[in-house]
């Protein structure tokens, strides 16, 4: 290895020949890519494409049948419980439906990771909760219950909770799904604001083209468990690959096998 290559920064996330199998059906077929520090990577794909399984593998919730996922050099499948605990303190995950605990206030939801994983005094946690709410545009909502929030506000509260531990890596699962265009645009802008203000590496899983092209430094297009295309948004938009064009131009797949597609959707949990 040359001195120049050895001095290159190491990837924050490195995925090597990742395969995930459910029963006798392989869902991810040798996925491979790197994510660098501070990069915003959008994993784009339709229902049943494998993107949700990939996200679960990236955060350690899905064990690969082969290959490896390295987060900051730690192989998630082979890590000890202590190593996993260290890694989980460095990542934040904003779930698709928000996953806020209904019996807790918004402030208590955001404080939960700090109570579980830090030794901070309650007064300090209270201040941090207010700071996180301000970062996502929800100042003053700490005493509200999740049921009192709109869909967009729930998404923002979930992002605030994901930010609670000041993570180095932030994962979003369909951040604008189920929102009207105006609310979705607000979430996209929030992600852009976080991108500008903090040195956070962000992985966004979505099927929303407009969001992907707006927020991504790089797009990874997943199709049927394979990486179909990867590159800057402009390159993806200009692709002449027939399958990429079919996805971007929203063309129906007349050759799809309904039974297999249904199984893919079921195993993806979509």
């Amino acid at each position: 290895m040359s001195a120049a290559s050895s001095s290159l920064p190491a990837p924050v996330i490195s995925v090597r020949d990742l395969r995930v199998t459910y029963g006798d059906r392989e869902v991810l077929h040798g996925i491979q890519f790197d994510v660098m520090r501070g990069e915003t990577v959008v994993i784009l794909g339709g229902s049943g494409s494998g993107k949700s399984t990939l996200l679960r593998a990236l955060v350690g919730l899905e064990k690969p049948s082969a290959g490896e996922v390295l987060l900051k050099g730690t192989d998630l499948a082979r890590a000890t419980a202590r190593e996993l605990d260290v890694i989980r303190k460095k990542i934040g995950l904003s779930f698709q439906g928000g996953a806020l605990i209904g019996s807790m206030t918004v402030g208590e939801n955001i404080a939960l990771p700090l109570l579980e994983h830090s030794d901070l005094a309650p007064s300090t946690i209270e201040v941090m909760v207010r700071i996180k709410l301000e970062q996502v545009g929800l100042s003053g909502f700490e005493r509200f219950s999740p049921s009192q929030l709109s869909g967009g506000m729930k998404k923002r509260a979930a992002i605030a909770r994901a930010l609670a531990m000041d993570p180095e890596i932030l994962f979003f699962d369909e951040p604008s799904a189920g929102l009207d265009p105006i609310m979705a645009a607000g979430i996209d802008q929030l992600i852009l604001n976080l991108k500008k203000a903090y040195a956070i590496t962000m992985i966004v899983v979505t099927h929303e083209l407009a969001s992907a092209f707006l927020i991504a430094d790089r797009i990874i297009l997943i199709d049927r468990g394979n990486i179909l295309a990867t590159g800057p948004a402009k390159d993806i938009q200009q692709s002449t690959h027939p399958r990429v064009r079919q996805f971007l131009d929203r063309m129906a797949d007349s050759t799809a096998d309904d039974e297999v597609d249904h199984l893919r959707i079921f195993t993806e949990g979509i």
Side-chain angles (χ1 to χ4, degrees):
M1 181 181 295
S2 69
S5 60
S6 63
S7 64
L8 293 175
V12 174
I13 301 172
S14 187
V15 180
R16 291 288 175 266
D17 193 29
L18 175 64
R19 298 176 184 272
V20 174
T21 302
Y22 296 135
D24 60 354
R25 183 172 297 278
E26 190 174 77
V27 178
L28 296 180
H29 313 301
I31 298 293
Q32 187 156 306
F33 63 89
D34 290 330
V35 179
M36 306 308 291
R37 183 179 183 273
E39 191 176 20
T40 297
V41 173
V42 170
I43 298 172
L44 183 64
S47 297
S49 61
K51 64 184 188 300
S52 293
T53 298
L54 176 55
L55 175 63
R56 291 197 293 270
L58 290 176
V59 298
L61 297 177
E62 189 76 61
K63 188 171 183 179
S65 53
E68 59 186 16
V69 176
L70 303 175
L71 259 68
K72 295 184 68 67
T74 299
D75 185 342
L76 297 185
R78 296 174 177 82
T80 64
R82 168 171 263 180
E83 288 172 333
L84 285 175
D85 186 54
V86 170
I87 284 293
R88 285 170 179 156
K89 290 177 181 178
K90 296 179 180 179
I91 67 174
L93 174 58
S94 177
F95 295 92
Q96 180 173 343
L100 300 173
I101 300 172
S103 60
M104 293 182 170
T105 65
V106 171
E108 288 169 341
N109 269 276
I110 297 167
L112 190 58
L114 296 166
L115 291 169
E116 293 284 333
H117 301 294
S118 78
D119 298 321
L120 295 174
S123 58
T124 303
I125 291 176
E126 187 176 339
V127 171
M128 291 190 68
V129 166
R130 290 201 297 268
I131 291 172
K132 299 309 173 186
L133 284 171
E134 183 177 357
Q135 287 176 342
V136 302
L138 287 181
S139 295
F141 283 87
E142 55 263 39
R143 299 191 184 280
F144 281 60
S145 68
S147 63
Q148 293 175 297
L149 303 183
S150 68
M153 293 168 75
K154 287 178 183 177
K155 298 273 191 179
R156 289 174 179 270
I159 293 171
R161 184 177 59 188
L163 289 168
M165 296 287 293
D166 291 324
E168 296 179 35
I169 309 170
L170 189 56
F171 295 90
F172 296 88
D173 185 11
E174 298 282 4
S176 57
L179 301 180
D180 64 52
I182 295 175
M183 291 280 192
I187 297 299
D188 291 342
Q189 189 58 54
L190 173 57
I191 292 173
L192 287 173
N193 291 344
L194 293 173
K195 178 178 175 178
K196 291 176 182 177
Y198 307 100
I200 302 178
T201 304
M202 293 192 280
I203 310 296
V204 183
V205 171
T206 186
H207 66 276
E208 301 283 352
L209 293 175
S211 294
F213 292 139
L214 178 65
I215 66 178
D217 292 321
R218 182 160 52 98
I219 291 174
I220 298 174
L221 180 57
I222 301 290
D223 181 58
R224 300 174 182 176
N226 294 290
I227 293 181
L228 185 61
T230 183
K234 184 178 179 181
D235 291 353
I236 300 296
Q237 286 175 304
Q238 295 177 347
S239 173
T240 58
H241 188 290
R243 187 69 179 172
V244 175
R245 294 267 35 111
Q246 183 180 32
F247 182 78
L248 298 183
D249 299 336
R250 302 179 67 189
M251 298 168 61
D253 188 353
S254 59
T255 64
D257 184 322
D258 289 342
E259 183 179 355
V260 172
D261 281 358
H262 176 76
L263 178 58
R264 284 198 185 99
I265 291 170
F266 175 77
T267 57
E268 281 297 297
I270 297 174

